[in-house]
Structure formats: C-alpha cells, structure tokens
Amino acid sequence: MVCAICGRESVEAFKFCPECGAAAGAATPARESRRVVTIIFCDLTGSTALGDRTDPEALRATMRGYYDEMRTILERHGGTVEKFVGDAVMAVFGVPVAREDDALRAVRAAWEMRSAVARLGLQARIGVNTGEVVAGEGDTLVTGDAVNVAARLEQAAEPGEVLIAAATRSLVRDAVTTRPREVTAKGKPQPIAAFELVDLDPTASGVARRLDTPLVGRARELAQLRQAYQSSAREQSCHLFTLLGTAGVGKSRLVAELLEDLDATIARGRCLDYGEGITFWPVIEALKQLGAHEAVDAIASGSARSNELFLTIRNAFEDAARQRPLVVVFDDIHWGEPTFLDLLDHITDLSRGAPILLLCIARPELLDDRPGWGGGKLNATTTLLQPLSADESSALLDALDDADVSDELRARILKSAEGNPLFVEEMLALARDGGDIHAPSTIHALLQARLDRLGAAERGVIERGSVEGQIFHRGAVQELGNGAAPNLDSDLVGLVRKELIRPERGMLPGDDAYRFRHLLIRDVAYDGLPKEVRADLHVRFAEWLEGHADLVEIDEIVGYHLEQAGRYRRELGRPDPALELRCASLLATAGNKAAGRGDLPAADNLLARALALMPPDDPGRRRVLLERIAALETTGDAEEIFVMAAELEASGSADTRMHGKVTRLQLGVRLDPASVFDEVESAANEALEVFSALSDHHGVARAWYLLFWFNWLQSRSRPALDALEHAIKHAERAGSHALAASASTYLIGPLVNGPVGPSELQAHIERLRAAGGPLATSSALRLEAHLARLEGRLDDAVRLNEEADAIDVELGRGVSLVIMRQWNAEVFILQGRLDETISIFRESVGELEAMGETSFLSTSLIRLAHVLYLRGEPEEAERLAIEGEAMGASEDVINFAWGRALRAMVLADRGEFEEAESLARQAESYAYKTDFSWAHAAAHETLAQVLASGGRADEARRERERVIEIYESYGNAFEADRARALLVEL
C-alpha cells in the first residue's frame, strides 16, 4: 500500500502509516505512473575467481556483508532497492515518491558504495542514469529505456569506476568533478554520452543557485526584512521573520541582498530532508560558525533534556548577539523536524536583551504541518514571496540574456516561467544550448517532487485538471473523477494555498475555473499520467465538453482532445480508426470555420491535422484536400500544394483528377507562367463545363479562380475581377470558406489597378467592412489607403497600409504579404522617401526569390529599378529592368510596359532620343494591352518626358494633357495635379 498523505509504502497489515501516522484508510494501492527517476546498477567484478579461491562459508559471509552494506547505503540516501541478481544490485531513486535531489542522492550513494565495496576487499562497476520510466504495479518497479542505459553504463565502467549519464550530470553538475567518456552500447545506434565520476563534494548542492543575478522587483520585501533587522537591533530583542515562497521564486537571492550590507554577525544552517540525526543539524551548523563549541557538544552528547538543551542553544545565540547584532538564517525549514521548529518557537518567545533576527526560509508546505506558525507573536513576521510581474520578468531576462535569444524564444520563456526567476534562468540556459523550451531537468525534478508530496486526492485533482490544459474547470475535474471527489472544493482550496493553482475566470458559465501557477506544473502533472490513462481521460473530457454546445470553437477543442487520445492509442499499438475519423471530421469542420473568419493559417493547421487522420480511400478526403489547398494559397507553401494536387490527379475519379489539374495549373501560373500558360484557358473552360454539369460549385469556383489568374497575368483587370466574383459566389454556395477567403484576397489588385472610380471603390469597401473578419478588414484598409492616395492624403495612406500590414503579418499571408508590403513603397515614392522604398523592394525581391514566385518577382525587380533611377542610379536601373522583362512571361505585358518606359528614360537622359522614343512608344503599346488606367497615364508621361528631352515641346504637351485626362476620368486628383504642374513647367 502507498500512503496517500506522505507516499510511504507499507504492508496491508499496518493500520497506520509508519512514516506519518495516517490511518490505513488513507492508503491506496500503488498505481502506474510515468516519472523521471535515477537508476543505479552496481555489479561486482572478479566474483567468479573469488569463489574459486575462497571457502564457501567465508564467501557467503562476504557476500552477505556486501548485500547488507549496499542496501543500507542506498536506503539511507532514499533509494529503493529493486533487486539483487547474483552479485549485481539495481536501485531506483524517485519511487514511490520523487524528491527534487534524487539524482544527487543517487550519485552520493554510488560514490559511497564504491568506497564500501573497496573496504570489503571487492571491486565493482557502477552505472547511474536519469530518465523517464513507467513505475508502479507488478513485480518490476520501473521499466523503460532509462533502465537499459544505466545497465549499459555499468557494463562499460572499469572496475572501481562510477559512470554517470549526461542527464544525471546536468542535475549534479555543481557537486561533482567528472571526465567525459563515450560509451558504445549494444542496441544503441549512437554512442552514449557518459562521464566518469572523479570526485564529489558531499556538502554541495547538485545545481548551485545563482546569487549574483540582478534583484528585480523585490523592493517591498527587502524593506520589510531591513525593518525587522533594525527593530531587533534597536529594541535589543529577538524577531522571527519567515520568508515563504515556492521553489525558485527568489527567496535565497532576496536574503543574499539583505545580508550583503548588514553590519551584523551572520550564521547559517540548512534543514536536510533526509539522513540520520538531522533534528539539530541546522543548529549545529550555525553554532559552529559562532564558535559555540560547548553548545555543540551538549547536542552531540544527547544527554541533556530538551528544555535544558533549548536553554543552552538560546544562551549561545544571546551571547553572540550581545557582542554584535546576530542574524541566523535557517533555510528550508519546511523540512525541519518538529523538535527543531519547537526550538525556534522557544528562542523567539523567551530570548531577551539581545538583538537576534531568526530569518527562516521555507516553502508554503510549512503551513501544512504548522498552520499556526508565527501566529500570536508580536515579534514575528511571515511574508509570502510572490512571482515576478510580467514587466519584472522581462527586466530579469534583459539582465540575463547575453546570447541574443530570439523574440519568439523570449516570449515562450516568459510565458512558461510565469514570474519564477529560477525558471527564467534555467530555460534561458536551455535555449542558449539550443534546446527547445520545456521544463529543464532541474525544474522537472523540483516540480515532480512537489507533486509527489501531495495527498492522493489533491494529486488526482491536479492530474485530471492537467488534461484540460493550463486553465481547467471544476466540472471537468468532477467528471473525470467519475464524480468520486467528495472533498473536491477543499482539495482545490488546498492546491491554491500550496501555490500550485490559482482561481481564474472560466469559459463555461456557472463553472469555477483554475489556472496552473506555471505551465510547467501542468506539464509535469500531465507527463506523470500513463498514456493509456491520458487517452481515456481525453475521450471522457471531449464527451463532457460536447455538452457545452455554446462554447466558441467547440469543434476545434473537442477535436484536439480526441486527436490526443487517438495518438496515444496508436503509440501504444492499439489504434482506434473510428475515433480518429470522428476527430478528423471535427477538425475539418473547425478548419472551415477558421477560414470563414479569415484565419487561414489556423484553417491550414486544422485541415492538415484532419488529413493526417483520414485514410487515403476516405470519401471525405477530397473535400478536405481542396479546403486545405485554398487555405495554403495565401501562405505561399507551394511545395505542399503540389503534393496535394498530385494526390488528386492520381485519383480514379475523373472529376477529382480535374480538381488536381486545375490546382496544379493555378499554382503554375503563379510560379512559372511560361510553362503552363498555353493550356490554362482551355483547361479552365473544360473544368467549368465538367463541374457545372455535376453541380459541383467548389469545382466551378476553382475553374473561375484559374480564369482569374489567366486574366490577371495579362493585366486584364476587368475580366480578372469578373472571374474572381464568380469564384467567390460559387465558393460560398459550396460552403468553402477557405476558397472564398483566398479568392477575396486578390480582389483589391483589379480594383486598384483597373478602370475603377472612387464610387465603385467605396462600394467594395463597405461590402468588405460588412463581411467582417481579418482578411476582409485588411482588404478594406488597402482600398481606403488607395482612396487616400488618390486624394493626396499620403500620410493617411501610409497609416492605413501599416494597419493592414499588421493584420497580414498576424495571418501569415505569405506571398500576398510580400506584395502588399510594397503598397506603402509606392506612397513613399510620392513622398520622396526613396531609401526606404528601395529597402522595401529589395527585401521583397529576396523573399520572392526564396519562394520561387517568378511572376511577382519580375514585376518587383522592375519597380525596384524605377526607384533606383529616381535616386540617380541609371545603369543599375537599366540592368534590373532588362532582367525583369526577361524573367516575366511573354503574356505578362505590364512588365514590358514598365521596363521599356524606364529604359526609354535612361536613353533619353543619355541623348539617344531616337532609340528612346522607340522604346517609349513600345511601352505605350504594351500599356494599352492592359486596362490598367494608371499604366496608360504612365506610358503617356514617359513619352512626354522623352519628347521634351528631345526638344519637341508641343508633342510633349499633348501627351501630358492626355495624362491629366486619364487621371481625372478615374478620380485620381493627386496625380492629375502633379501632371498639371509638369505641364506648366513644360
């Protein structure tokens, strides 16, 4: 049986726990759990030869001594001996109850075993490893690869040598001296990183706490401590100050700051959580530092009665304090024995005429054993050290971060640490070493030990809550416990008091909610559940959650929990296809809803997860493939789209193959127009005919979408706009939010470039605003920015485009974001901000090259060339213009209009007027192959500039008059005014 209060194992015949005295009714059978433990393997060497030359009775006595000595050492350090096999012993540290220093205990035990074996005239090899295992029921205490690694280390060790694994060393690094070793182990594809244990400091912590980090956000608590010391010194009295706080919250660092500038005698002692004769251990430490040897001898003799001993110790402290104010720091008093705590009460109550500050550091668990600690004393203060605020945590990270951690990693560290300075330090160290942000081994050990100290009821509550997530609801915990939680509310209050959870506003009306104090606490609690149990709890939670139909995004949340259940069952070799299909349906529905609100990255994520759960022959797979393709089209993942298009084209269904072909051609138009252009129009028309006959609105929408790209490549905005509107209409009829959203993304291109006046633009803006959602909002902002530009409100245009940029960045819109970012570059040209414009275009060119987007890339190169020309770099501008024209498809006529216009101006500046005029007239011819009104105006302006440079002012004047006429006809008042100014100048 395992005691639910303290975790001590006992036999069923016991009526009370031999450790804490709890009634046997509070004990529960041991259950399986996943946990991180430290394993020791020790095996004698040369035992066969020893048997050959030793009398059997003598050998028996020697081996009995060996077994007894090894068991004594292991159990004294807190280990559990799993088995003796021949002359080998295996022990585990961390079961049935974990302690935060299990790895250090194990290494200390191994070091002591090495010496003990030598004293017995024997030699042994010892291996120590830390890792995750399954522990609990059955004859075997723990199982897992961590056990195998410990055995391999033992086998690789030399006689008299202790090898420890890298995972163990990271937990004991500040207490040991090691030499690196590499162990080639049978069955392991890679060598095991190991370390030979060279020396060990028995008094050192495994991982030393840094006391040199900046003190952040503790001004109030530091002032309280200083005030307590000053009162004690002024009044010549004893003051008990207890500083409570969870592990790593900064208690030791705060005390170090206090002690740094005190004019006082300082003595320190630390309570141990295991060992023999530890009641007065911290007092002896302090007395030795004070030179109070008589008091130490009195304790050591054990002959004095407790009241006499208390008086002796109190007198020793008072004698020291009368010479100089005394501060005695007792650390970890939550591990203190009751008699030790009684001693502190005695000194606080009875000491007189001497300035003594008893500064006690403890975790909140102290109040579980001594709920009245410090109560009723006028000379006692107890304060709880809270986690740092978000700003304080950020300031601490600024002070610690000398490795330029990325903004993303920084945000994850701050979110996971939730104000715990130790967590910030350890996760930053992990990030510097290239690790992912999770609970580092030091923190995992600490939190696992905290959870193992909970009673069975509280542990069950926190485990069931972890299944829901960082925020969990009381009702869910009740449900997952099958209603068998009669003291649930008191258990929750207990967990709040222990600083493991805190009340939180819930998502479900009428239900209380709680948040884990740290995400890492949730992770450790969850990781301790066996996968079979996790799978069952996830299914039950999903079924409970389905009763809350009013919950926003319920499909996504329920789908997630079923997905987790399915994954664990598959990992355990018991896949549940029916469960996975149910989950896929929910995720696909959630993905379509995400697309409906314009969140295409979320839609892609959900739909990809749905596809991963659907078998290739599932009849619903095609629809999900098409939805995901639509969601991906704005994020730029072309390779993934090609893979899905190939799957569609490999189908045995003709209409499914047609969907694949349309998808492939559409992507081809964007990436490599020349390779597919000849077949695009006929394929789109064929698809329209096929899908219309089948009343397949999704297919019809895709065919129209392909026709949009066919027309847009040729800069025919009106046909492109008509095709888009058809595509959107049929996508909405098909219920394909992703396709409708993807198609809507491109509406603004034809609207801004085509022969569209302000009134038509305003109508589209109102329609987009009414539609709502981030994508529609972004498009509306772009059109409003365009209207502001037409009216000459350039600062407003920049602001509106920046608002749209922020939305597009959040949506992860890929190639669309790259192109849209250029809109402000065009406004910057009008403001004369050429350097900023060039920077934007160069960045866009680099990103488009990385994406393989040649169609947009060719245009961006020519626009970059135009700005370089304006900045006085004609040769580079001419080179890029030629490169852009060569890169674009022959049908992409706007590139030739822009490129030749730019080259014409460069030639005119050189005085090559005849060739310049030829290029300018070619540019005009190409411009009129489009219906881009501003392209027509730009072509006439280029020709006017060339003609004026050649001294043909009358012809240039007519061209500029045409420019004004074009701009005015489409409401571009700002550009029309600029053209008038040039006309006056001419």
Side-chain angles (χ1 to χ4, degrees):
M1 305 289 284
V2 176
C3 177
I5 305 304
C6 70
R8 171 68 181 268
E9 288 184 322
S10 61
V11 296
E12 292 185 18
F14 283 21
K15 294 183 178 179
F16 299 94
C17 172
E19 179 72 21
C20 69
T28 56
R31 65 175 179 85
E32 284 194 351
S33 63
R34 298 176 73 94
R35 55 179 52 240
V36 175
V37 301
T38 300
I39 303 133
I40 292 181
F41 268 94
C42 174
D43 192 11
L44 293 180
T45 62
S47 57
T48 302
L50 179 67
D52 286 342
R53 65 176 185 268
T54 306
D55 181 82
E57 288 187 37
L59 178 63
R60 180 182 179 88
T62 300
M63 295 306 296
R64 183 183 295 115
Y66 163 70
Y67 295 143
D68 290 345
E69 186 74 4
M70 295 303 100
R71 183 181 292 278
T72 298
I73 292 171
L74 289 164
E75 291 183 349
R76 183 170 65 248
H77 286 276
T80 301
V81 177
E82 173 156 350
K83 58 188 174 183
F84 284 98
V85 179
D87 48 13
V89 60
M90 171 188 169
V92 184
F93 288 75
V95 291
V97 176
R99 302 172 183 87
E100 62 195 71
D101 60 345
D102 277 325
L104 182 59
R105 291 165 178 256
V107 171
R108 284 174 175 168
W111 193 243
E112 189 174 340
M113 290 164 67
R114 172 181 173 272
S115 300
V117 168
R119 285 196 304 272
L120 292 170
L122 304 171
Q123 280 192 318
R125 299 187 302 257
I126 302 176
V128 186
N129 181 43
T130 302
E132 188 179 37
V133 298
V134 176
E137 300 170 344
D139 296 332
T140 301
L141 193 62
V142 295
T143 56
D145 187 58
V147 179
N148 300 328
V149 171
R152 297 292 181 268
L153 291 175
E154 175 265 308
Q155 293 162 8
E158 298 294 330
E161 190 175 71
V162 178
L163 288 185
I164 65 174
T168 306
R169 182 179 177 275
S170 70
L171 291 164
V172 301
R173 59 181 181 262
D174 292 321
V176 299
T177 303
T178 60
R179 276 194 291 263
R181 286 274 295 275
E182 196 171 82
V183 173
T184 302
K186 182 179 179 181
K188 292 287 182 183
Q190 299 294 331
I192 300 172
F195 296 85
E196 178 192 348
L197 188 58
V198 176
D199 197 7
L200 179 140
D201 181 350
T203 64
S205 298
V207 179
R209 297 291 167 83
R210 288 182 57 182
L211 299 179
D212 59 344
T213 56
L215 186 69
V216 175
R218 300 303 191 195
R220 181 181 63 83
E221 293 86 353
L222 185 59
Q224 282 183 296
L225 283 166
R226 285 173 173 160
Q227 184 179 2
Y229 168 74
Q230 291 163 3
S231 297
S232 172
R234 183 176 60 252
E235 298 167 7
Q236 296 291 294
S237 64
C238 180
H239 193 101
L240 172 66
F241 195 109
T242 307
L243 186 62
L244 297 176
T246 55
V249 80
K251 303 184 295 296
S252 299
R253 178 65 187 89
L254 177 60
V255 169
E257 188 75 12
L258 170 74
L259 300 181
E260 193 172 286
D261 57 358
L262 284 188
D263 183 16
T265 299
I266 312 295
R268 305 195 67 141
R270 177 182 296 274
C271 295
L272 304 180
D273 62 335
Y274 77 101
E276 298 172 354
I278 62 173
T279 297
F280 291 105
W281 176 270
V283 182
I284 292 173
E285 280 189 289
L287 291 171
K288 285 180 177 178
Q289 294 163 36
L290 297 174
H293 301 297
E294 291 183 6
V296 172
D297 292 341
I299 297 172
S301 69
S303 58
R305 290 177 296 182
S306 61
N307 57 341
E308 295 172 348
L309 193 56
F310 283 12
L311 178 60
T312 300
I313 295 169
R314 192 184 89 216
N315 287 337
F317 283 168
E318 288 174 347
D319 289 343
R322 289 189 183 103
Q323 299 174 40
R324 192 181 184 202
L326 174 64
V327 178
V328 185
V329 181
F330 288 121
D331 210 344
D332 293 333
I333 70 163
H334 50 279
W335 284 328
E337 295 290 329
T339 302
F340 167 73
L341 299 177
D342 292 341
L343 169 65
L344 297 184
D345 270 336
H346 167 88
I347 297 172
T348 304
D349 290 337
L350 299 180
S351 180
R352 297 288 186 274
I356 302 173
L357 176 63
L358 295 179
L359 179 49
C360 298
I361 304 173
R363 296 180 189 170
E365 296 94 285
L366 170 68
L367 301 182
D368 292 340
D369 296 328
R370 302 284 280 240
W373 178 255
K377 292 182 174 65
L378 296 177
N379 58 336
T381 303
T382 300
T383 191
L384 176 66
L385 200 59
Q386 296 283 0
L388 299 176
S389 69
D391 289 342
E392 291 165 348
S393 296
S394 184
L396 176 62
L397 190 54
D398 286 339
L400 295 170
D401 181 14
D402 55 8
D404 194 22
V405 171
S406 70
D407 290 343
E408 180 186 357
L409 271 177
R410 176 190 179 88
R412 290 170 61 192
I413 289 172
L414 293 175
K415 179 180 178 182
S416 298
E418 293 209 28
N420 187 296
L422 174 65
F423 294 3
V424 172
E425 290 179 32
E426 290 294 302
M427 286 189 285
L428 178 61
L430 190 66
R432 285 171 176 159
D433 294 338
D436 191 15
I437 297 303
H438 57 272
S441 56
T442 49
I443 297 175
H444 190 284
L446 187 154
L447 295 178
Q448 183 172 278
R450 281 193 72 192
L451 296 183
D452 274 2
R453 285 194 290 270
L454 297 175
E458 288 182 339
R459 181 66 184 258
V461 168
I462 211 164
E463 286 175 342
R464 296 196 297 274
S466 73
V467 172
E468 182 173 356
Q470 187 173 14
I471 297 175
F472 63 92
H473 291 79
R474 180 191 182 283
V477 173
Q478 183 87 30
E479 176 70 20
L480 296 184
N482 295 317
N487 300 313
L488 177 57
D489 291 321
S490 62
D491 292 336
L492 288 165
V493 170
L495 292 169
V496 171
R497 190 180 68 250
K498 291 179 173 68
E499 293 283 298
L500 291 168
I501 64 175
R502 65 172 185 260
E504 180 67 52
R505 179 179 297 177
M507 296 184 294
L508 305 176
D511 199 353
D512 294 332
Y514 297 85
R515 173 190 284 272
F516 283 93
R517 273 282 182 180
H518 301 281
L519 180 61
L520 301 177
I521 296 175
R522 180 264 167 191
D523 291 346
V524 173
Y526 182 79
D527 291 345
L529 293 167
K531 290 184 178 180
E532 188 65 53
V533 175
R534 291 184 213 170
D536 178 59
L537 290 176
H538 276 296
V539 171
R540 287 163 55 196
F541 176 74
E543 291 171 348
W544 174 79
L545 197 61
E546 285 179 314
H548 298 272
D550 55 340
L551 183 65
V552 177
E553 298 177 352
I554 188 169
D555 293 320
E556 181 176 348
I557 300 172
V558 173
Y560 165 80
H561 286 280
L562 294 180
E563 181 182 28
Q564 298 307 302
R567 177 167 67 89
Y568 289 130
R569 287 178 179 173
R570 188 168 287 278
E571 288 175 359
L572 293 170
R574 295 188 292 276
D576 188 340
L579 175 71
E580 292 179 359
L581 274 179
R582 178 183 166 203
C583 173
S585 175
L586 288 166
L587 292 175
T589 300
N592 204 20
K593 288 180 179 177
R597 60 179 183 267
D599 190 354
L600 294 182
D604 170 45
N605 174 271
L606 291 161
L607 294 166
R609 287 157 55 194
L611 284 171
L613 296 170
M614 301 176 79
D617 58 349
D618 188 272
R621 185 173 175 84
R622 184 182 84 173
R623 174 61 184 261
V624 180
L625 278 168
L626 293 173
E627 288 297 301
R628 186 174 179 230
I629 287 168
L632 273 173
E633 281 168 336
T634 62
T635 62
D637 194 343
E639 185 176 343
E640 190 71 17
I641 296 175
F642 272 130
V643 170
M644 291 187 286
E647 180 180 337
L648 292 169
E649 286 198 272
S651 170
S653 163
D655 55 314
T656 301
R657 289 198 300 274
M658 180 64 75
H659 273 290
K661 181 179 181 180
V662 168
T663 299
R664 175 175 54 79
L665 291 174
Q666 181 180 316
L667 194 58
V669 170
R670 281 174 44 194
L671 299 181
D672 187 10
S675 67
V676 298
F677 190 81
D678 290 342
E679 57 178 315
V680 167
E681 186 175 24
S682 61
N685 288 325
E686 180 187 359
L688 272 178
E689 183 178 345
V690 170
F691 292 135
S692 296
L694 295 171
S695 297
D696 181 351
H697 288 288
H698 195 290
V700 172
R702 283 223 149 263
W704 277 113
Y705 201 11
L706 181 57
L707 282 172
F708 155 73
W709 282 104
F710 174 75
N711 285 289
W712 185 241
L713 182 64
Q714 300 173 83
S715 304
R716 292 156 48 176
S717 59
R718 269 300 175 192
L721 185 60
D722 290 342
L724 271 182
E725 290 180 335
H726 277 95
I728 294 167
K729 178 180 68 176
H730 285 281
E732 289 172 346
R733 286 184 184 176
S736 175
H737 298 303
L739 183 54
S742 181
S744 297
T745 299
Y746 292 99
L747 276 172
I748 53 178
L751 288 171
V752 167
N753 290 285
V756 179
S759 59
E760 188 175 350
L761 286 172
Q762 191 61 50
H764 277 282
I765 290 171
E766 291 170 5
R767 190 185 311 166
L768 289 164
R769 287 290 188 188
L775 267 177
T777 300
S778 171
S779 297
L781 287 167
R782 299 286 184 197
L783 293 181
E784 288 173 353
H786 180 60
L787 275 179
R789 176 180 167 186
L790 297 184
E791 296 167 4
R793 296 183 289 109
L794 300 185
D795 289 342
D796 286 345
V798 170
R799 175 181 55 80
L800 291 164
N801 276 325
E802 286 176 347
E803 290 180 23
D805 285 346
I807 295 173
D808 291 345
V809 167
E810 190 172 336
L811 292 176
R813 289 182 59 184
V815 65
S816 300
L817 174 61
V818 177
I819 301 304
M820 297 300 180
R821 201 181 290 139
Q822 297 179 13
W823 284 41
N824 257 348
E826 299 291 350
V827 182
F828 290 167
I829 294 173
L830 302 177
Q831 294 178 317
R833 298 160 63 178
L834 300 184
D835 289 345
E836 292 171 78
T837 307
I838 290 170
S839 177
I840 292 173
F841 276 120
R842 286 198 188 281
E843 184 178 347
S844 296
V845 165
E847 292 177 354
L848 291 169
E849 283 177 338
M851 294 177 184
E853 292 277 357
T854 57
S855 180
F856 290 119
L857 176 59
S858 58
T859 304
S860 297
L861 279 172
I862 296 172
R863 295 306 295 151
L864 171 60
H866 176 70
V867 190
L868 289 170
Y869 170 76
L870 294 177
R871 198 172 68 171
E873 300 179 41
E875 291 79 9
E876 177 67 4
E878 184 178 34
R879 185 187 69 78
L880 288 178
I882 294 171
E883 182 181 341
E885 286 187 60
M887 181 181 295
S890 59
E891 295 78 16
D892 201 353
V893 291
I894 195 65
N895 286 340
F896 302 112
W898 282 345
R900 280 162 170 71
L902 177 58
R903 290 160 58 197
M905 290 187 289
V906 171
L907 290 174
D909 292 343
R910 293 177 185 159
E912 300 175 26
F913 300 119
E914 184 176 345
E915 193 172 348
E917 182 181 354
S918 173
L919 282 175
R921 294 196 182 278
Q922 289 178 41
E924 184 181 51
S925 174
Y926 279 116
Y928 274 95
K929 290 182 179 180
T930 80
D931 58 0
F932 287 12
S933 55
W934 65 266
H936 300 165
H940 287 290
E941 175 55 43
T942 297
L943 185 55
Q945 182 174 332
V946 170
L947 292 170
S949 298
R952 297 155 66 180
D954 290 341
E955 295 172 77
R957 187 177 298 110
R958 286 194 294 273
E959 293 298 327
R960 286 204 169 127
E961 287 171 347
R962 179 64 181 137
V963 171
I964 296 168
E965 180 184 339
I966 293 171
Y967 281 136
E968 286 182 334
S969 65
Y970 295 109
N972 194 338
F974 179 74
E975 293 286 7
D977 288 342
R978 290 181 73 225
R980 284 193 192 91
L982 290 172
L983 182 60
V984 170
E985 182 182 328
L986 182 63

